[in-house]
Amino acid sequence: MNGPVVVGVDGSPSSMAAVQAAAREAGLRGVGLRLVHAFGWPAAHIPAGGRPWEPSGAGLRELIDGTLTKAEQRAHETAPGVEIEREVVVGDPVTVMEIESRTATLAVVGSRGHSRFGALLLGSTAGHLAAHAACPVLVVRGRPNPEGPVLLAVDGSPAARGAVEFAFALASLHGTDLVALHAWSTRTERAYEAPADPPFVTYDEDRLRDEEERVLAEALGGLRDTYPDVAVDRRLVRGRIRHTVIEASAEAGIVVVGARGRGGFAGLLLGSVSQAVLQHGHCPVVVVRSGER
């Protein structure tokens, strides 16, 4: 998709960091940047999708214009050549950003913001968007100005193929290495959410490790040829995937995860690994749902 990078703007420090990240991504991709301010006006006064200026909202124009002007200036400073458009939409920020994602290459939000716009990480804009967006979602969080490789959490599930492809493309765009991290335990089935090494279980550790090595190799299959410029560091780690990925994110520039992995319940749109990394990761996180690039 060649749509714009869309970013939610509310004037908070978190959203301004998201604007910078979104501008960089738009510049790397050669697409436009769309700054969206979702205005949570009472539905009884103005229809969803309308503008908040009339009849009683005229006094808000200066405040909202000022917020978007600051965001636009920040974006221009970060990526001077990117074409920028601004939009103010009446509606719940979660719904507005979900709709915007349908025509976007990438949706970007801060981890926390003013009022309802990201006031809570999960269960609010960031968490809902990661679970429902029609494009990959970048949640800007963690340490300031993170540097390091792209960190890909590999689970080997068919649904995570989009995340693998996205991670390779992202590493190529950023001109950085890719760390492909796959955690495993000695359970007879790969249970990524459960404690590793339950007591009194007989297993062939060498055989299990060989199997997980195969899972990792197959997950990356073909893409190393497609992206010969990307140096790949394959890491097979024995342990719990959530803890392992969060720990590794301390040395990464950005983490890429699938929306769901092998664990959890089929009805959940956002798996526990994705949720944990969104809450506790040390750097920005991209969540890619099945079928997205």
Side-chain angles (χ1 to χ4, degrees):
M1 180 184 292
N2 294 318
V5 173
V6 60
V7 57
V9 178
D10 68 0
S12 67
S14 182
S15 83
M16 295 303 283
V19 168
Q20 287 183 283
R24 284 193 293 269
E25 294 301 324
L28 289 171
R29 289 167 168 74
V31 299
L33 175 65
R34 182 170 168 83
L35 308 175
V36 177
H37 180 94
F39 187 84
W41 197 273
H45 296 286
I46 302 176
R51 296 177 182 274
W53 316 132
E54 301 296 343
S56 60
L60 296 171
R61 179 190 292 271
E62 184 175 346
L63 177 61
I64 295 177
D65 273 353
T67 296
L68 287 172
T69 296
K70 289 179 181 178
E72 187 171 356
Q73 290 173 344
R74 184 71 62 87
H76 274 306
E77 292 170 359
T78 304
V82 170
E83 181 178 340
I84 300 174
E85 62 176 321
R86 338 170 0 163
E87 188 67 50
V88 179
V89 182
V90 173
D92 179 75
V94 169
T95 303
V96 168
M97 288 298 292
E98 183 180 339
I99 293 172
E100 289 284 340
S101 75
R102 298 173 188 171
T103 55
T105 294
L106 179 70
V108 185
V109 291
S111 60
R112 299 186 183 277
H114 291 318
S115 187
R116 289 188 299 160
F117 203 120
L120 298 175
L121 180 55
L122 293 179
S124 184
T125 305
H128 182 94
L129 195 61
H132 295 88
C135 69
V137 175
L138 169 58
V139 178
V140 179
R141 59 157 297 107
R143 65 193 192 279
N145 304 314
E147 295 183 354
V150 172
L151 174 64
L152 168 65
V154 178
D155 65 26
S157 66
R161 182 64 177 181
V164 177
E165 294 176 359
F166 185 92
F168 269 91
L170 188 66
S172 181
L173 280 172
H174 283 240
T176 189
D177 295 347
L178 173 67
V179 174
L181 177 64
H182 178 58
W184 65 285
S185 73
T186 52
R187 297 177 66 90
T188 53
E189 293 186 1
R190 291 186 296 274
Y192 297 97
E193 318 307 328
D197 301 333
F200 312 119
V201 174
T202 300
Y203 55 84
D204 183 337
E205 182 174 337
D206 290 339
R207 183 186 63 80
L208 287 174
R209 184 180 180 85
D210 289 345
E211 172 65 14
E212 299 303 338
E213 181 67 49
R214 182 190 62 79
V215 169
L216 178 56
E218 289 185 355
L220 306 179
L223 290 172
R224 301 186 73 168
D225 294 332
T226 304
Y227 296 95
D229 58 318
V230 176
V232 181
D233 177 5
R234 288 169 40 170
R235 296 185 186 177
L236 191 63
V237 180
R238 178 171 162 179
R240 304 184 191 183
I241 181 64
R242 284 174 290 185
H243 173 78
T244 301
V245 175
I246 291 169
E247 186 177 66
S249 72
E251 298 180 355
I254 192 167
V255 178
V256 178
V257 296
R260 292 194 64 254
R262 294 180 179 274
F265 298 95
L268 296 178
L269 294 177
L270 194 62
S272 63
V273 173
S274 303
Q275 293 183 46
V277 178
L278 283 173
Q279 289 185 21
H280 304 294
H282 299 288
C283 66
V285 180
V286 177
V287 178
V288 184
R289 296 178 61 204
S290 178
E292 296 172 359
R293 301 291 184 273

